[in-house]
Amino acid sequence: MKSLTEQEIRASFVNCSKGEAKRLAVPRDLDERPWEHLDFLGWRDPGAPDRSYLVAERDGGPVGVTLRFPPSQRGFLHRSMCSLCLTTHPGGGVSLMTARKAGPAGREGNSVGVYMCTDLACSLYVRGRKIPDSGLRMEESLTVAEQIARTTGNLSAFLDKVRS
């Protein structure tokens, strides 16, 4: 993913108003992000524990969505799998992230959801640059490039649902 500026990030959001995009918390460490290892930029809002944000490259430009998720309710022995990168996590490591749909459907209250890594580090898990809390990922026969393609395909399908 190419690096993004704060202005590019704020302008990318498709499922919130321009005022909401202007007020949301953008990471202060954009210069330190491992852009070359990211398929999307994802972060949690430090001021709102139930909010996250995701920005991905789509159709030649960045597309951002605001996400909400419930507080973790699962015990440590419960394991869940991310629908994007297929990494398994114990406890609250995977959350149902919901995004209000873009346009009139979103203004009517319609939303879509996806189970994804609560820390939004799918890109780093797939590349082996971050180890899940469980200490390991399932062994796969796919190459890392194929896993990256699968992850970005799953993300694209989710973003298409948000924008449709």
Side-chain angles (χ1 to χ4, degrees):
M1 178 171 192
K2 76 172 193 77
S3 64
L4 298 171
T5 66
E6 181 177 341
Q7 293 82 6
E8 290 172 318
I9 291 169
R10 290 187 189 283
S12 73
F13 285 91
V14 297
N15 69 338
C16 68
S17 70
K18 289 182 182 187
E20 288 171 313
K22 186 177 179 181
R23 291 186 299 273
L24 62 83
V26 174
R28 298 282 176 224
D29 63 348
L30 293 175
D31 293 337
E32 300 165 20
R33 295 287 170 135
W35 293 101
E36 68 277 7
H37 300 295
L38 297 180
D39 303 310
F40 62 88
L41 173 65
W43 72 98
R44 293 181 65 174
D45 189 329
D50 66 336
R51 289 184 183 257
S52 291
Y53 309 100
L54 185 149
V55 179
E57 291 178 3
R58 293 278 292 152
D59 304 324
V63 173
V65 294
T66 61
L67 302 165
R68 287 185 162 251
F69 61 97
S72 178
Q73 301 283 329
R74 298 183 178 140
F76 188 76
L77 296 177
H78 186 270
R79 300 184 66 77
S80 299
M81 181 182 287
C82 173
S83 298
L84 298 184
C85 66
L86 304 188
T87 299
T88 58
H89 295 274
V94 172
S95 297
L96 175 62
M97 304 276 187
T98 58
R100 185 173 59 201
K101 291 189 84 157
R107 288 189 289 277
E108 292 174 6
N110 295 322
S111 62
V112 294
V114 65
Y115 284 95
M116 80 189 280
C117 298
T118 304
D119 63 2
L120 302 165
C122 300
S123 302
L124 302 178
Y125 291 127
V126 168
R127 289 166 173 82
R129 299 189 62 79
K130 186 170 184 180
I131 305 298
D133 291 337
S134 62
L136 53 104
R137 285 189 80 230
M138 293 187 319
E139 192 170 325
E140 294 195 56
S141 59
L142 298 178
T143 66
V144 172
E146 291 170 328
Q147 292 176 50
I148 291 168
R150 178 186 60 207
T151 300
T152 57
N154 291 340
L155 176 60
S156 292
F158 174 67
L159 292 175
D160 289 345
K161 289 177 187 175
V162 171
R163 296 180 353 169
S164 67

